[in-house]
mmCIF file of all heavy atoms in Angstrom:
data_model
loop_
_atom_site.group_PDB
_atom_site.id
_atom_site.type_symbol
_atom_site.label_atom_id
_atom_site.label_comp_id
_atom_site.label_asym_id
_atom_site.label_seq_id
_atom_site.Cartn_x
_atom_site.Cartn_y
_atom_site.Cartn_z
ATOM 1 N N PRO A 1126 120.431 119.561 112.336
ATOM 2 C CA PRO A 1126 119.556 118.775 111.467
ATOM 3 C C PRO A 1126 118.295 119.570 111.145
ATOM 4 O O PRO A 1126 117.657 120.114 112.034
ATOM 5 C CB PRO A 1126 119.246 117.527 112.292
ATOM 6 C CG PRO A 1126 119.458 117.927 113.708
ATOM 7 C CD PRO A 1126 120.529 118.973 113.675
ATOM 8 N N ASP A 1127 117.995 119.659 109.868
ATOM 9 C CA ASP A 1127 116.895 120.507 109.423
ATOM 10 C C ASP A 1127 115.712 119.709 108.907
ATOM 11 O O ASP A 1127 114.610 120.212 108.853
ATOM 12 C CB ASP A 1127 117.392 121.465 108.337
ATOM 13 C CG ASP A 1127 116.627 122.765 108.305
ATOM 14 O OD1 ASP A 1127 116.261 123.266 109.381
ATOM 15 O OD2 ASP A 1127 116.377 123.273 107.195
ATOM 16 N N ALA A 1128 115.953 118.471 108.498
ATOM 17 C CA ALA A 1128 114.868 117.663 107.947
ATOM 18 C C ALA A 1128 115.194 116.187 108.131
ATOM 19 O O ALA A 1128 116.358 115.799 108.154
ATOM 20 C CB ALA A 1128 114.677 117.966 106.467
ATOM 21 N N VAL A 1129 114.140 115.379 108.243
ATOM 22 C CA VAL A 1129 114.272 113.934 108.368
ATOM 23 C C VAL A 1129 113.274 113.286 107.424
ATOM 24 O O VAL A 1129 112.132 113.735 107.310
ATOM 25 C CB VAL A 1129 113.971 113.463 109.812
ATOM 26 C CG1 VAL A 1129 114.108 111.954 109.921
ATOM 27 C CG2 VAL A 1129 114.862 114.141 110.817
ATOM 28 N N ASP A 1130 113.702 112.210 106.757
ATOM 29 C CA ASP A 1130 112.793 111.438 105.917
ATOM 30 C C ASP A 1130 113.118 109.961 106.087
ATOM 31 O O ASP A 1130 114.282 109.604 106.262
ATOM 32 C CB ASP A 1130 112.923 111.827 104.442
ATOM 33 C CG ASP A 1130 111.913 111.085 103.598
ATOM 34 O OD1 ASP A 1130 110.703 111.361 103.745
ATOM 35 O OD2 ASP A 1130 112.309 110.200 102.815
ATOM 36 N N SER A 1131 112.097 109.118 106.048
ATOM 37 C CA SER A 1131 112.296 107.688 106.132
ATOM 38 C C SER A 1131 111.498 106.992 105.048
ATOM 39 O O SER A 1131 110.352 107.351 104.781
ATOM 40 C CB SER A 1131 111.854 107.161 107.501
ATOM 41 O OG SER A 1131 111.984 105.751 107.538
ATOM 42 N N ASP A 1132 112.120 105.992 104.434
ATOM 43 C CA ASP A 1132 111.419 105.183 103.443
ATOM 44 C C ASP A 1132 111.033 103.818 104.024
ATOM 45 O O ASP A 1132 110.626 102.920 103.311
ATOM 46 C CB ASP A 1132 112.266 105.022 102.183
ATOM 47 C CG ASP A 1132 113.636 104.391 102.446
ATOM 48 O OD1 ASP A 1132 113.799 103.696 103.468
ATOM 49 O OD2 ASP A 1132 114.541 104.605 101.625
ATOM 50 N N GLY A 1133 111.190 103.687 105.348
ATOM 51 C CA GLY A 1133 110.866 102.434 106.021
ATOM 52 C C GLY A 1133 112.081 101.556 106.249
ATOM 53 O O GLY A 1133 112.102 100.735 107.158
ATOM 54 N N THR A 1134 113.101 101.716 105.439
ATOM 55 C CA THR A 1134 114.351 100.974 105.591
ATOM 56 C C THR A 1134 115.456 101.881 106.106
ATOM 57 O O THR A 1134 116.211 101.516 106.994
ATOM 58 C CB THR A 1134 114.786 100.350 104.248
ATOM 59 O OG1 THR A 1134 113.734 99.510 103.778
ATOM 60 C CG2 THR A 1134 116.058 99.539 104.394
ATOM 61 N N HIS A 1135 115.531 103.078 105.518
ATOM 62 C CA HIS A 1135 116.560 104.051 105.874
ATOM 63 C C HIS A 1135 115.900 105.299 106.452
ATOM 64 O O HIS A 1135 114.766 105.630 106.092
ATOM 65 C CB HIS A 1135 117.357 104.486 104.634
ATOM 66 C CG HIS A 1135 117.810 103.357 103.774
ATOM 67 N ND1 HIS A 1135 118.973 102.682 103.984
ATOM 68 C CD2 HIS A 1135 117.241 102.777 102.689
ATOM 69 C CE1 HIS A 1135 119.114 101.747 103.070
ATOM 70 N NE2 HIS A 1135 118.067 101.777 102.278
ATOM 71 N N VAL A 1136 116.631 106.000 107.284
ATOM 72 C CA VAL A 1136 116.243 107.332 107.748
ATOM 73 C C VAL A 1136 117.340 108.267 107.271
ATOM 74 O O VAL A 1136 118.533 107.991 107.465
ATOM 75 C CB VAL A 1136 116.130 107.392 109.290
ATOM 76 C CG1 VAL A 1136 115.812 108.807 109.746
ATOM 77 C CG2 VAL A 1136 115.083 106.408 109.779
ATOM 78 N N TRP A 1137 116.951 109.353 106.631
ATOM 79 C CA TRP A 1137 117.906 110.313 106.080
ATOM 80 C C TRP A 1137 117.726 111.635 106.808
ATOM 81 O O TRP A 1137 116.627 112.175 106.858
ATOM 82 C CB TRP A 1137 117.673 110.491 104.586
ATOM 83 C CG TRP A 1137 117.807 109.201 103.834
ATOM 84 C CD1 TRP A 1137 116.805 108.338 103.497
ATOM 85 C CD2 TRP A 1137 119.013 108.603 103.372
ATOM 86 N NE1 TRP A 1137 117.319 107.249 102.854
ATOM 87 C CE2 TRP A 1137 118.671 107.392 102.760
ATOM 88 C CE3 TRP A 1137 120.348 108.990 103.423
ATOM 89 C CZ2 TRP A 1137 119.614 106.547 102.181
ATOM 90 C CZ3 TRP A 1137 121.286 108.150 102.839
ATOM 91 C CH2 TRP A 1137 120.918 106.946 102.236
ATOM 92 N N VAL A 1138 118.817 112.169 107.362
ATOM 93 C CA VAL A 1138 118.791 113.421 108.112
ATOM 94 C C VAL A 1138 119.643 114.441 107.374
ATOM 95 O O VAL A 1138 120.842 114.220 107.164
ATOM 96 C CB VAL A 1138 119.329 113.230 109.553
ATOM 97 C CG1 VAL A 1138 119.267 114.541 110.320
ATOM 98 C CG2 VAL A 1138 118.557 112.131 110.272
ATOM 99 N N ALA A 1139 119.029 115.549 106.957
ATOM 100 C CA ALA A 1139 119.762 116.634 106.296
ATOM 101 C C ALA A 1139 120.347 117.548 107.362
ATOM 102 O O ALA A 1139 119.614 118.142 108.149
ATOM 103 C CB ALA A 1139 118.823 117.427 105.384
ATOM 104 N N ASN A 1140 121.675 117.624 107.405
ATOM 105 C CA ASN A 1140 122.385 118.428 108.400
ATOM 106 C C ASN A 1140 122.736 119.785 107.793
ATOM 107 O O ASN A 1140 123.726 119.912 107.068
ATOM 108 C CB ASN A 1140 123.656 117.712 108.854
ATOM 109 C CG ASN A 1140 123.340 116.420 109.566
ATOM 110 O OD1 ASN A 1140 122.685 116.422 110.591
ATOM 111 N ND2 ASN A 1140 123.794 115.311 109.010
ATOM 112 N N TYR A 1141 121.928 120.768 108.112
ATOM 113 C CA TYR A 1141 122.032 122.098 107.510
ATOM 114 C C TYR A 1141 123.434 122.689 107.630
ATOM 115 O O TYR A 1141 124.042 123.051 106.625
ATOM 116 C CB TYR A 1141 120.990 123.030 108.143
ATOM 117 C CG TYR A 1141 121.001 124.430 107.595
ATOM 118 C CD1 TYR A 1141 120.474 124.696 106.350
ATOM 119 C CD2 TYR A 1141 121.529 125.475 108.333
ATOM 120 C CE1 TYR A 1141 120.480 125.986 105.838
ATOM 121 C CE2 TYR A 1141 121.540 126.762 107.829
ATOM 122 C CZ TYR A 1141 121.013 127.012 106.579
ATOM 123 O OH TYR A 1141 121.027 128.279 106.070
ATOM 124 N N LEU A 1142 123.955 122.801 108.826
ATOM 125 C CA LEU A 1142 125.267 123.422 109.008
ATOM 126 C C LEU A 1142 126.415 122.437 108.802
ATOM 127 O O LEU A 1142 127.556 122.843 108.612
ATOM 128 C CB LEU A 1142 125.375 124.072 110.397
ATOM 129 C CG LEU A 1142 124.458 125.266 110.628
ATOM 130 C CD1 LEU A 1142 124.640 125.812 112.044
ATOM 131 C CD2 LEU A 1142 124.712 126.359 109.599
ATOM 132 N N GLY A 1143 126.125 121.161 108.796
ATOM 133 C CA GLY A 1143 127.162 120.162 108.604
ATOM 134 C C GLY A 1143 127.451 119.865 107.150
ATOM 135 O O GLY A 1143 128.406 119.161 106.826
ATOM 136 N N ASN A 1144 126.594 120.399 106.243
ATOM 137 C CA ASN A 1144 126.729 120.105 104.816
ATOM 138 C C ASN A 1144 126.912 118.606 104.594
ATOM 139 O O ASN A 1144 127.815 118.155 103.886
ATOM 140 C CB ASN A 1144 127.871 120.907 104.190
ATOM 141 C CG ASN A 1144 127.521 122.368 104.085
ATOM 142 O OD1 ASN A 1144 126.377 122.716 103.812
ATOM 143 N ND2 ASN A 1144 128.483 123.231 104.327
ATOM 144 N N SER A 1145 126.015 117.855 105.229
ATOM 145 C CA SER A 1145 126.081 116.400 105.157
ATOM 146 C C SER A 1145 124.686 115.815 105.309
ATOM 147 O O SER A 1145 123.732 116.516 105.638
ATOM 148 C CB SER A 1145 126.992 115.856 106.261
ATOM 149 O OG SER A 1145 126.454 116.148 107.536
ATOM 150 N N VAL A 1146 124.608 114.519 105.073
ATOM 151 C CA VAL A 1146 123.377 113.769 105.288
ATOM 152 C C VAL A 1146 123.760 112.545 106.118
ATOM 153 O O VAL A 1146 124.706 111.836 105.791
ATOM 154 C CB VAL A 1146 122.724 113.340 103.957
ATOM 155 C CG1 VAL A 1146 121.543 112.421 104.189
ATOM 156 C CG2 VAL A 1146 122.298 114.568 103.161
ATOM 157 N N THR A 1147 123.032 112.317 107.205
ATOM 158 C CA THR A 1147 123.270 111.163 108.054
ATOM 159 C C THR A 1147 122.240 110.099 107.718
ATOM 160 O O THR A 1147 121.048 110.379 107.650
ATOM 161 C CB THR A 1147 123.148 111.549 109.546
ATOM 162 O OG1 THR A 1147 124.101 112.577 109.838
ATOM 163 C CG2 THR A 1147 123.412 110.354 110.437
ATOM 164 N N GLU A 1148 122.711 108.868 107.476
ATOM 165 C CA GLU A 1148 121.825 107.745 107.208
ATOM 166 C C GLU A 1148 121.760 106.861 108.448
ATOM 167 O O GLU A 1148 122.790 106.487 109.017
ATOM 168 C CB GLU A 1148 122.336 106.917 106.027
ATOM 169 C CG GLU A 1148 121.473 105.700 105.741
ATOM 170 C CD GLU A 1148 122.066 104.774 104.698
ATOM 171 O OE1 GLU A 1148 123.156 105.051 104.158
ATOM 172 O OE2 GLU A 1148 121.431 103.733 104.441
ATOM 173 N N LEU A 1149 120.528 106.535 108.861
ATOM 174 C CA LEU A 1149 120.284 105.659 109.997
ATOM 175 C C LEU A 1149 119.493 104.443 109.534
ATOM 176 O O LEU A 1149 118.791 104.503 108.527
ATOM 177 C CB LEU A 1149 119.456 106.379 111.065
ATOM 178 C CG LEU A 1149 119.919 107.747 111.536
ATOM 179 C CD1 LEU A 1149 118.870 108.381 112.431
ATOM 180 C CD2 LEU A 1149 121.255 107.638 112.244
ATOM 181 N N SER A 1150 119.556 103.370 110.291
ATOM 182 C CA SER A 1150 118.694 102.219 110.057
ATOM 183 C C SER A 1150 117.322 102.551 110.637
ATOM 184 O O SER A 1150 117.220 102.919 111.813
ATOM 185 C CB SER A 1150 119.261 100.986 110.750
ATOM 186 O OG SER A 1150 118.277 99.974 110.814
ATOM 187 N N ALA A 1151 116.263 102.415 109.842
ATOM 188 C CA ALA A 1151 114.916 102.716 110.337
ATOM 189 C C ALA A 1151 114.470 101.718 111.402
ATOM 190 O O ALA A 1151 113.731 102.075 112.318
ATOM 191 C CB ALA A 1151 113.915 102.738 109.189
ATOM 192 N N SER A 1152 114.914 100.493 111.329
ATOM 193 C CA SER A 1152 114.463 99.487 112.288
ATOM 194 C C SER A 1152 115.143 99.610 113.649
ATOM 195 O O SER A 1152 114.538 99.313 114.668
ATOM 196 C CB SER A 1152 114.661 98.079 111.731
ATOM 197 O OG SER A 1152 116.025 97.834 111.474
ATOM 198 N N THR A 1153 116.409 100.070 113.661
ATOM 199 C CA THR A 1153 117.143 100.125 114.927
ATOM 200 C C THR A 1153 117.559 101.532 115.348
ATOM 201 O O THR A 1153 117.911 101.742 116.505
ATOM 202 C CB THR A 1153 118.424 99.271 114.847
ATOM 203 O OG1 THR A 1153 119.286 99.833 113.844
ATOM 204 C CG2 THR A 1153 118.104 97.824 114.516
ATOM 205 N N GLY A 1154 117.565 102.475 114.403
ATOM 206 C CA GLY A 1154 118.024 103.824 114.707
ATOM 207 C C GLY A 1154 119.535 103.936 114.794
ATOM 208 O O GLY A 1154 120.060 104.980 115.156
ATOM 209 N N THR A 1155 120.246 102.888 114.419
ATOM 210 C CA THR A 1155 121.706 102.936 114.486
ATOM 211 C C THR A 1155 122.286 103.676 113.280
ATOM 212 O O THR A 1155 121.683 103.716 112.203
ATOM 213 C CB THR A 1155 122.318 101.522 114.548
ATOM 214 O OG1 THR A 1155 121.879 100.787 113.404
ATOM 215 C CG2 THR A 1155 121.919 100.807 115.812
ATOM 216 N N LEU A 1156 123.468 104.240 113.493
ATOM 217 C CA LEU A 1156 124.158 104.973 112.441
ATOM 218 C C LEU A 1156 124.622 104.011 111.358
ATOM 219 O O LEU A 1156 125.263 102.996 111.647
ATOM 220 C CB LEU A 1156 125.358 105.714 113.028
ATOM 221 C CG LEU A 1156 126.243 106.474 112.045
ATOM 222 C CD1 LEU A 1156 125.482 107.643 111.447
ATOM 223 C CD2 LEU A 1156 127.509 106.964 112.746
ATOM 224 N N VAL A 1157 124.303 104.333 110.100
ATOM 225 C CA VAL A 1157 124.798 103.571 108.960
ATOM 226 C C VAL A 1157 126.010 104.293 108.384
ATOM 227 O O VAL A 1157 127.070 103.709 108.220
ATOM 228 C CB VAL A 1157 123.702 103.381 107.890
ATOM 229 C CG1 VAL A 1157 124.257 102.701 106.647
ATOM 230 C CG2 VAL A 1157 122.534 102.592 108.466
ATOM 231 N N GLN A 1158 125.832 105.602 108.081
ATOM 232 C CA GLN A 1158 126.929 106.383 107.533
ATOM 233 C C GLN A 1158 126.577 107.861 107.543
ATOM 234 O O GLN A 1158 125.416 108.237 107.642
ATOM 235 C CB GLN A 1158 127.259 105.951 106.105
ATOM 236 C CG GLN A 1158 126.144 106.230 105.098
ATOM 237 C CD GLN A 1158 126.500 105.790 103.693
ATOM 238 O OE1 GLN A 1158 127.650 105.879 103.282
ATOM 239 N NE2 GLN A 1158 125.508 105.307 102.954
ATOM 240 N N VAL A 1159 127.612 108.672 107.427
ATOM 241 C CA VAL A 1159 127.457 110.100 107.215
ATOM 242 C C VAL A 1159 127.989 110.379 105.818
ATOM 243 O O VAL A 1159 129.134 110.053 105.502
ATOM 244 C CB VAL A 1159 128.213 110.937 108.265
ATOM 245 C CG1 VAL A 1159 128.065 112.428 107.965
ATOM 246 C CG2 VAL A 1159 127.703 110.616 109.665
ATOM 247 N N VAL A 1160 127.131 110.933 104.969
ATOM 248 C CA VAL A 1160 127.491 111.228 103.592
ATOM 249 C C VAL A 1160 127.892 112.697 103.516
ATOM 250 O O VAL A 1160 127.102 113.579 103.849
ATOM 251 C CB VAL A 1160 126.291 110.953 102.649
ATOM 252 C CG1 VAL A 1160 126.642 111.260 101.216
ATOM 253 C CG2 VAL A 1160 125.818 109.510 102.806
ATOM 254 N N SER A 1161 129.131 112.947 103.097
ATOM 255 C CA SER A 1161 129.601 114.320 102.971
ATOM 256 C C SER A 1161 130.751 114.356 101.977
ATOM 257 O O SER A 1161 131.244 113.325 101.543
ATOM 258 C CB SER A 1161 130.053 114.873 104.323
ATOM 259 O OG SER A 1161 131.177 114.152 104.795
ATOM 260 N N GLY A 1162 131.158 115.537 101.623
ATOM 261 C CA GLY A 1162 132.280 115.696 100.703
ATOM 262 C C GLY A 1162 131.941 116.602 99.546
ATOM 263 O O GLY A 1162 130.776 116.870 99.261
ATOM 264 N N ARG A 1163 132.969 117.084 98.898
ATOM 265 C CA ARG A 1163 132.804 118.041 97.799
ATOM 266 C C ARG A 1163 131.981 117.487 96.637
ATOM 267 O O ARG A 1163 131.241 118.213 95.997
ATOM 268 C CB ARG A 1163 134.161 118.492 97.284
ATOM 269 C CG ARG A 1163 134.864 119.403 98.226
ATOM 270 C CD ARG A 1163 136.168 119.869 97.626
ATOM 271 N NE ARG A 1163 136.840 120.704 98.589
ATOM 272 C CZ ARG A 1163 137.125 121.963 98.381
ATOM 273 N NH1 ARG A 1163 136.827 122.528 97.245
ATOM 274 N NH2 ARG A 1163 137.720 122.663 99.316
ATOM 275 N N SER A 1164 132.121 116.201 96.338
ATOM 276 C CA SER A 1164 131.421 115.652 95.173
ATOM 277 C C SER A 1164 129.909 115.717 95.315
ATOM 278 O O SER A 1164 129.193 115.771 94.321
ATOM 279 C CB SER A 1164 131.865 114.213 94.911
ATOM 280 O OG SER A 1164 131.529 113.384 95.996
ATOM 281 N N TYR A 1165 129.410 115.746 96.548
ATOM 282 C CA TYR A 1165 127.966 115.795 96.769
ATOM 283 C C TYR A 1165 127.414 117.213 96.629
ATOM 284 O O TYR A 1165 126.216 117.404 96.518
ATOM 285 C CB TYR A 1165 127.622 115.242 98.159
ATOM 286 C CG TYR A 1165 127.922 113.778 98.287
ATOM 287 C CD1 TYR A 1165 129.133 113.346 98.812
ATOM 288 C CD2 TYR A 1165 127.002 112.835 97.873
ATOM 289 C CE1 TYR A 1165 129.421 111.994 98.922
ATOM 290 C CE2 TYR A 1165 127.272 111.481 97.983
ATOM 291 C CZ TYR A 1165 128.489 111.068 98.498
ATOM 292 O OH TYR A 1165 128.762 109.736 98.608
ATOM 293 N N ARG A 1166 128.271 118.179 96.718
ATOM 294 C CA ARG A 1166 127.928 119.608 96.625
ATOM 295 C C ARG A 1166 126.801 120.013 97.574
ATOM 296 O O ARG A 1166 125.948 120.834 97.236
ATOM 297 C CB ARG A 1166 127.592 119.994 95.189
ATOM 298 C CG ARG A 1166 128.844 120.040 94.346
ATOM 299 C CD ARG A 1166 128.649 120.833 93.102
ATOM 300 N NE ARG A 1166 128.722 119.918 91.976
ATOM 301 C CZ ARG A 1166 128.119 120.108 90.830
ATOM 302 N NH1 ARG A 1166 127.392 121.167 90.635
ATOM 303 N NH2 ARG A 1166 128.242 119.238 89.866
ATOM 304 N N PHE A 1167 126.801 119.430 98.775
ATOM 305 C CA PHE A 1167 125.845 119.874 99.790
ATOM 306 C C PHE A 1167 126.190 121.306 100.169
ATOM 307 O O PHE A 1167 127.343 121.637 100.411
ATOM 308 C CB PHE A 1167 125.897 118.996 101.036
ATOM 309 C CG PHE A 1167 125.453 117.573 100.820
ATOM 310 C CD1 PHE A 1167 126.202 116.526 101.314
ATOM 311 C CD2 PHE A 1167 124.281 117.284 100.147
ATOM 312 C CE1 PHE A 1167 125.799 115.213 101.134
ATOM 313 C CE2 PHE A 1167 123.871 115.974 99.957
ATOM 314 C CZ PHE A 1167 124.629 114.932 100.454
ATOM 315 N N ASP A 1168 125.192 122.162 100.215
ATOM 316 C CA ASP A 1168 125.374 123.556 100.620
ATOM 317 C C ASP A 1168 124.142 123.942 101.415
ATOM 318 O O ASP A 1168 123.136 124.351 100.867
ATOM 319 C CB ASP A 1168 125.556 124.456 99.396
ATOM 320 C CG ASP A 1168 126.025 125.848 99.753
ATOM 321 O OD1 ASP A 1168 126.114 126.171 100.965
ATOM 322 O OD2 ASP A 1168 126.280 126.639 98.827
#
């Protein structure tokens, strides 16, 4: 993980080597989803 940002509702974690973004709940810290795949063109 290279960066984290929160808008108060969601926490977004940029996973440098995972070519993905992990979304967490800001209120609980629980996993919401991992966003990845070719269509996102994460590099």
Side-chain angles (χ1 to χ4, degrees):
D1127 209 37
V1129 180
D1130 184 68
S1131 177
D1132 58 23
T1134 303
H1135 313 273
V1136 176
W1137 301 94
V1138 181
N1140 296 299
Y1141 180 75
L1142 294 179
N1144 289 323
S1145 64
V1146 173
T1147 301
E1148 178 188 359
L1149 309 172
S1150 165
S1152 61
T1153 63
T1155 57
L1156 177 67
V1157 175
Q1158 66 180 325
V1159 178
V1160 180
S1161 64
R1163 288 183 182 242
S1164 63
Y1165 294 95
R1166 287 199 247 153
F1167 294 133
D1168 192 354

